[in-house]
């Protein structure tokens, strides 16, 4: 049996598809000692993805992210879910169909977001019981986790929780509403009592970035039972996006430095999503690493890129992965030669504009469609300011990490030739 050091304890890691096995595999993905580590972990899942991609003539993602519903029981400041038309959802039958298709493609992990996915918690447990060869994970505000549901998580064994929290009581309740912080801590207690390995999930912005990168907050999260953490840089998607919450380049760089230092000192895993491009080949969206399906069925590159040219109600998952937009998106990866400028949405916005226009994608932002030019206007200035900061930080990555990243990029390009390239897609033409 595998073991993993978690919160200063040596934890047993049950075989896949136990939810703790996902945590073990994600640690190997984001902390590769070498390119071979990336290739060999998860029983050589990376190699298997290339073989399956060759067979199906498209990239096969590692993770499928699905929104069971667009509805939410909270109304957080700056969250795009407030723009969503309430009541959009994927039926249980459609969710089941998507997962059946994903299993045939060898996709091992299904993650659920929203809206608030636990508005569908009975359906989620039902899916976990039916699909015993798949691990599931839920990004949740945690207010709907009670004793009965926590018992259900422990019983199924293949369900992860990623519990959203914004920092202190004041910072959490500022964005999420009065009393939410207390409910989140209660949910963490319920999970810890049942020895359920969960993660904390934090959106950091200009008002809370110092808290979420502090030893005090991170120590507390681990003490409360979190096995690892997700950090997401605030992205101003949607008409109600609060631009005052966008981190400056200096604030983003500060968080990166603090998180790296903390993880080294404490021997733990915290994934600073927008600052972790150097651990893979940069952007992993559009099927290169993961794919997003929203509650209307629109197939999108990622949860933050609300643009699509296809819908899962109208075609199969494989057909969606072969769509002109997603193919064009993958052809442009990596979007920068600097792994710290990996995201086309906030780091290289001119690239996402080009890909969307060439791929014939449209805005999928529910009741308030947002043309890509409108979004770019909100992020362009910050992206330009981040570029010199990122270029300076690139020099500090070290020769070993730079070598691993460059090898990843070479592998990505080879993978595209083997998968998308079999459909005679001209990557050079799409980039020109």
């Amino acid at each position: 049996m595998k073991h993993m050091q978690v919160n200063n304890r040596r934890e047993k890691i049950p075989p896949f598809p136990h939810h703790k096995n996902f945590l073990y595999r994600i640690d190997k993905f984001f902390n590769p000692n070498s390119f071979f580590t990336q290739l060999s972990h998860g029983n050589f899942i990376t190699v298997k993805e290339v073989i399956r991609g060759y067979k199906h003539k498209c990239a096969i993602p590692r993770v499928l992210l699905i929104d069971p519903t667009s509805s939410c029981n909270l109304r957080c400041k700056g969250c795009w879910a407030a723009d969503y038309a309430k009541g959009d959802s994927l039926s249980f039958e459609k969710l089941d169909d998507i997962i059946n298709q994903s299993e045939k493609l060898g996709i091992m992990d299904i993650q659920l977001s929203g809206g608030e996915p636990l508005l569908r918690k009975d359906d989620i447990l039902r899916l976990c019981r039916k699909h015993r060869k798949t691990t599931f994970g839920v990004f949740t505000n945690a207010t709907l986790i009670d004793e009965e549901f926590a018992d259900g998580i422990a019983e199924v064994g293949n369900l992860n929780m990623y519990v959203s929290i914004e920092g202190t009581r004041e910072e959490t309740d500022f964005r999420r509403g009065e009393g939410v912080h207390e409910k989140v801590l209660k949910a963490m207690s319920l999970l810890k009592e049942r020895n359920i390995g969960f993660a904390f999930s934090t959106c950091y912005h200009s008002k809370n970035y110092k808290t979420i990168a502090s030893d005090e907050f991170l120590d507390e999260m681990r003490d409360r039972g979190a096995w690892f953490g997700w950090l997401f840089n605030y992205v101003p998607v949607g008409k109600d996006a609060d631009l005052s919450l966008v981190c400056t380049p200096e604030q983003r760089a500060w968080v990166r430095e603090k998180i790296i230092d903390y993880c080294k000192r404490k021997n733990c895993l915290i994934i600073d999503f927008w600052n972790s491009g150097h651990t893979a080949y940069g952007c992993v969206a559009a099927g290169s690493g993961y794919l997003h399906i929203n509650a209307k069925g629109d197939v999108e590159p990622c949860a933050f890129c609300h643009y699509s040219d296809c819908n899962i109600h109208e075609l199969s998952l494989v057909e969606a992965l072969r769509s002109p937009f997603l193919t064009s998106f993958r052809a442009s990866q990596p979007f920068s030669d600097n792994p710290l400028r990996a995201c086309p949405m906030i780091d290289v916005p001119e690239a996402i504009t080009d890909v969307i226009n060439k791929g014939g994608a449209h805005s999928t932002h529910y009741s308030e469609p947002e043309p890509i030019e409108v979004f770019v206007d909100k992020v362009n200035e910050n992206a330009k300011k981040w570029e010199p900061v990122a270029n300076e930080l690139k020099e500090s990555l070290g020769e070993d990490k730079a070598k691993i990243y460059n090898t990843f990029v070479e592998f990505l390009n080879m993978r595209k030739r083997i998968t998308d390239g079999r459909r005679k897609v001209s990557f050079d033409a799409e980039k020109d």
Side-chain angles (χ1 to χ4, degrees):
M1 179 174 284
K2 297 182 175 70
H3 291 81
M4 182 177 174
Q5 193 74 15
V6 180
N7 298 342
N8 301 317
R9 300 190 314 274
R10 190 169 183 262
E11 292 276 358
K12 292 181 179 179
I13 305 299
F16 176 83
H18 195 277
H19 73 276
K20 291 178 180 177
N21 192 275
F22 172 78
L23 305 182
Y24 177 84
R25 286 182 287 113
I26 202 167
D27 180 70
K28 296 300 181 184
F29 180 84
F30 281 99
N31 280 321
N33 296 320
S34 66
F35 180 63
F36 180 75
T37 304
Q38 181 68 273
L39 284 181
S40 62
H41 89 284
N43 295 323
F44 289 90
I45 182 61
T46 303
V47 176
K48 292 175 183 176
E49 287 166 353
V50 175
I51 295 172
R52 291 170 183 139
Y54 175 83
K55 175 182 177 182
H56 294 284
K57 300 182 181 180
C58 63
I60 304 298
R62 179 76 47 89
V63 174
L64 194 59
L65 181 66
I66 308 173
D67 296 348
T69 179
S70 64
S71 297
C72 186
N73 60 325
L74 300 181
R75 192 176 179 87
C76 303
K77 294 181 187 296
C79 178
W80 64 66
D83 296 347
Y84 283 7
K86 304 307 177 188
D88 282 324
S89 64
L90 296 170
S91 68
F92 176 86
E93 291 73 22
K94 192 60 189 179
L95 290 167
D96 183 44
D97 173 58
I98 294 169
I99 296 167
N100 282 329
Q101 292 184 60
S102 70
E103 288 177 337
K104 290 179 181 179
L105 294 176
I107 299 172
M108 304 164 67
D109 302 301
I110 301 293
Q111 309 297 304
L112 304 171
S113 58
E116 172 48 52
L118 292 191
L119 290 170
R120 303 281 303 279
K121 58 185 178 182
D122 291 340
D123 282 341
I124 290 172
L125 289 176
R126 185 180 169 192
L127 289 168
C128 290
R129 293 185 181 104
K130 183 172 183 180
H131 296 274
R132 303 302 301 166
K133 295 182 179 180
T134 295
T135 56
F136 293 82
V138 174
F139 288 93
T140 174
N141 62 42
T143 60
L144 300 177
I145 297 177
D146 53 20
E147 294 267 0
E148 182 181 1
F149 184 63
D151 287 339
I153 298 172
E155 179 258 319
V156 295
N158 59 339
L159 178 59
N160 287 292
M161 290 291 114
Y162 313 130
V163 177
S164 296
I165 189 168
E166 302 289 321
T168 64
R169 181 184 305 275
E170 293 75 19
E171 289 163 334
T172 299
D173 290 357
F174 160 74
R175 281 200 71 202
R176 297 182 175 271
E178 186 175 353
V180 171
H181 184 266
E182 183 178 350
K183 292 178 181 179
V184 170
L185 297 188
K186 175 61 176 175
M188 289 183 174
S189 295
L190 293 174
L191 298 174
K192 183 179 181 181
E193 288 168 4
R194 291 157 177 79
N195 194 28
I196 296 168
F198 68 92
F200 71 92
S201 176
T202 297
C203 174
Y204 69 91
H205 49 78
S206 62
K207 304 289 194 296
N208 73 344
Y209 75 98
K210 286 191 174 180
T211 296
I212 63 92
S214 69
D215 278 22
E216 292 78 12
F217 173 72
L218 298 173
D219 285 346
E220 180 187 2
M221 291 297 97
R222 296 169 71 217
D223 289 343
R224 292 189 179 278
W227 279 39
F228 77 104
W230 295 105
L231 300 186
F232 297 95
N233 196 349
Y234 176 75
V235 180
V237 174
K239 69 179 180 63
D240 290 330
D242 187 344
L243 297 184
S244 72
L245 295 178
V246 175
C247 281
T248 66
E250 292 73 22
Q251 291 168 344
R252 176 178 169 181
W254 189 89
V255 170
R256 176 181 179 273
E257 178 183 357
K258 292 294 183 181
I259 294 300
I260 290 174
D261 176 67
Y262 183 89
C263 290
K264 285 182 179 178
R265 287 188 287 109
K266 305 284 185 168
N267 187 28
C268 66
L269 175 66
I270 300 171
I271 302 160
D272 184 0
F273 208 69
W274 273 263
N275 286 332
S276 295
H278 62 283
T279 65
Y281 36 76
C283 172
V284 294
S288 292
Y290 89 114
L291 188 72
H292 180 238
I293 301 175
N294 71 21
K296 288 196 298 186
D298 298 314
V299 183
E300 302 168 338
C302 78
F304 299 89
C305 185
H306 295 181
Y307 302 90
S308 177
D309 66 344
C310 57
N311 190 285
I312 201 66
H313 291 294
E314 300 168 356
L315 72 181
S316 69
L317 183 55
V318 166
E319 289 169 334
L321 285 163
R322 294 174 182 165
S323 81
F325 173 48
L326 295 180
T327 301
S328 177
F329 196 106
R330 292 192 297 269
S332 298
Q333 293 169 326
F335 291 95
S336 167
D337 61 2
N338 185 342
L340 298 174
R341 295 181 64 235
C343 176
M345 295 291 288
I346 66 170
D347 296 333
V348 198
E350 65 274 14
I352 192 64
T353 303
D354 189 48
V355 168
I356 287 171
N357 290 335
K358 285 185 177 180
H362 62 273
S363 173
T364 56
H365 197 71
Y366 287 81
S367 58
E368 295 288 340
E370 184 172 52
I372 187 58
E373 292 78 12
V374 173
F375 174 80
V376 167
D377 283 344
K378 292 186 287 187
V379 300
N380 202 36
E381 181 179 355
N382 219 41
K384 291 178 179 178
K385 292 178 179 178
W386 171 248
E387 183 173 1
V389 176
N391 288 340
E392 184 175 344
L393 289 172
K394 180 184 177 183
E395 300 301 318
S396 67
L397 285 180
E399 185 175 340
D400 290 342
K401 288 185 178 179
K403 183 177 180 180
I404 292 175
Y405 172 73
N406 290 333
T407 304
F408 285 163
V409 170
E410 291 176 8
F411 177 79
L412 172 66
N413 290 330
M414 179 215 45
R415 174 175 166 171
K416 288 190 291 190
R417 291 192 295 271
I418 291 173
T419 58
D420 291 317
R422 292 194 66 215
R423 304 201 321 275
K424 302 186 184 301
V425 177
S426 175
F427 297 109
D428 291 336
E430 288 188 1
K431 283 187 175 183
D432 290 340

